[in-house]
Amino acid sequence: MIVLGLILLLIGFLTGISILWTIGIVLIVIGLVLFLLGTTGRVVGGRKHWY
């Protein structure tokens, strides 16, 4: 999710499409939150690990 967010952020920046920029930022934030919750050992969505 973080990688997809970075790709959309980059494409949105290069093409000037603001919706891709916004979606990229949202995906990066959600990905980082899920990553941090997973590394602290909290169960997210019934799963402890996301790999």
Side-chain angles (χ1 to χ4, degrees), residues 10-50:
L10 182 63
I11 291 172
F13 177 73
L14 293 176
T15 60
I17 301 173
S18 62
I19 191 71
L20 290 179
W21 179 266
T22 305
I23 293 171
I25 291 173
V26 169
L27 285 177
I28 290 172
V29 170
I30 291 172
L32 287 174
V33 167
L34 289 175
F35 176 75
L36 289 174
L37 288 174
T39 57
T40 59
R42 296 184 56 94
V43 177
V44 178
R47 299 183 70 182
K48 193 169 188 172
H49 301 285
W50 290 90

